[in-house]
Amino acid sequence: MHVKELVMAVVFAMGAQGAFAGNFVSLTNGNGSTLCSIDSENPAACPSGGLVDGLGDPDEDPLYIQIIRTGPNASTFAPGAGYGTAGATPTILNYNARDIDGNILATSSLTLLSSNISQNVQLLPGIAQGTVYDFVFRDSIDNKLVFGTRFINQVDNDQEINYLFRQGAGDNPSVAWTRLSAFDLRLYQAGQTDDYSYDLNVDYEPGYIRMKADISVSEGNPWSGLYLVKTDATDYVLGSNAIGFYQAGEEGQAVVGNFISGFVAVAAVPEPENYALLLAGLGLITTASRRRKNK
């Protein structure tokens, strides 16, 4: 499997500014209770969908967004954490959203608002398996928040991450992914579920976004791409159980995983001056209520 991914990485590297297809893709609730992956050869087997599949060919992958890396609109990175590094930290990701024919639908910018790093996260008890990078961006095209996740597997012990999860990212999610190095692993599939099995049909679970991958040092895919979730969230805070990572036992390994803290969506936080207006309004309501009682 890792040989295939290596070949695709070379394709990306050789055509870094080529015409790739892809954009943020909305996730549905399937039939309201169950999600499945639509088979183009047998669509009747899964009429409702809900699980969105990516493709290995970047020219056809509906989930891949191409970041601009050269020229006056080149994306920018934090000093010492540039493109191609394990700790790549983008400050502005300028990207082209394209259709399946490679036509540019829109050019937009993901501007970094916050980032958080969780080091030495454990898959098996007592083993520091990797590092999780957590980002929040704002997309200039629609002013929406975008939550970004990247997992760096650092131990060659045959343990892999088959699923990354975001919990509490907000409503009406759409997903995409991009590379922060030439060898980042693509996003295989995404859907609204907390299931970490390989079942073809899984329960719809609002509030969870599952992102399928195969992040493994032993197989030559140690770094995930930057997996992106856009929602209707208006604000965010650090919260518990925001990011999950699970091994599904694809090659007979233990089925294990964890959730860790990360950025979660919250309702808009009132500005300080608005608190004063709110308290004044409550005061007027209380006064009016007392007057009515006294009459």
Side-chain angles (χ1 to χ4, degrees):
M1 185 179 298
H2 66 281
V3 173
K4 177 182 176 182
E5 293 302 329
L6 180 60
V7 170
M8 293 314 303
V10 173
V11 171
F12 271 100
M14 292 177 64
Q17 297 300 312
F20 299 129
N23 198 357
F24 281 90
V25 177
S26 296
L27 297 178
T28 72
N29 64 357
N31 64 10
S33 61
T34 305
L35 311 180
C36 56
S37 176
I38 295 177
D39 184 349
S40 59
E41 297 182 359
N42 185 19
C46 177
S48 56
L51 296 177
V52 178
D53 292 308
L55 294 172
D57 185 348
D59 289 335
E60 298 180 357
D61 188 351
L63 298 173
Y64 178 73
I65 58 173
Q66 173 203 13
I67 63 170
I68 301 171
R69 292 178 49 208
T70 61
N73 296 321
S75 301
T76 59
F77 290 78
Y83 184 91
T85 64
T89 301
T91 52
I92 298 178
L93 283 177
N94 296 316
Y95 73 92
N96 290 323
R98 297 178 182 265
D99 62 21
I100 198 66
D101 296 318
N103 301 309
I104 295 178
L105 300 173
T107 298
S108 189
S109 298
L110 299 177
T111 300
L112 182 66
L113 303 179
S114 297
S115 63
N116 185 58
I117 302 173
S118 297
Q119 296 178 313
N120 301 319
V121 299
Q122 295 185 19
L123 192 60
L124 297 177
I127 299 177
Q129 191 70 39
T131 299
V132 177
Y133 292 85
D134 184 15
F135 304 98
V136 183
F137 303 93
R138 191 173 297 281
D139 196 337
S140 64
I141 198 169
D142 52 17
N143 207 38
K144 288 187 175 183
L145 292 181
V146 178
F147 296 85
T149 314
R150 191 178 188 222
F151 192 101
I152 305 298
N153 195 339
Q154 297 169 313
V155 182
D156 188 358
N157 59 354
D158 292 321
Q159 306 303 303
E160 61 190 22
I161 305 301
N162 300 117
Y163 294 114
L164 289 173
F165 292 88
R166 294 287 324 199
Q167 180 182 198
D171 298 325
N172 299 315
S174 58
V175 296
W177 78 281
T178 194
R179 289 179 184 265
L180 299 184
S181 84
F183 300 100
D184 282 5
L185 185 65
R186 69 182 180 89
L187 176 59
Y188 290 178
Q189 185 190 77
Q192 296 186 80
T193 183
D194 61 353
D195 187 285
Y196 48 84
S197 72
Y198 277 112
D199 293 345
L200 298 179
N201 298 286
V202 297
D203 291 339
Y204 164 61
E205 189 62 48
Y208 287 85
I209 309 299
R210 186 185 79 176
M211 296 166 284
K212 186 177 181 180
D214 192 13
I215 309 161
S216 168
V217 176
S218 304
E219 295 184 0
N221 309 313
W223 300 354
S224 80
L226 178 61
Y227 300 163
L228 301 166
V229 177
K230 182 189 291 190
T231 72
D232 290 341
T234 56
D235 212 333
Y236 64 95
V237 296
L238 273 173
S240 60
N241 299 322
I243 299 173
F245 46 93
Y246 274 76
Q247 176 171 259
E250 182 183 18
E251 282 103 21
Q253 306 99 323
V255 178
V256 291
N258 284 300
F259 272 83
I260 60 174
S261 62
F263 296 114
V264 296
V266 294
V269 179
E271 296 294 333
E273 58 269 23
N274 292 335
Y275 279 115
L277 292 174
L278 177 61
L279 292 174
L282 290 173
L284 290 173
I285 293 172
T286 302
T287 301
S289 177
R290 288 174 178 172
R291 286 177 178 173
R292 284 195 298 270
K293 288 181 179 179
N294 293 332
K295 287 184 179 180

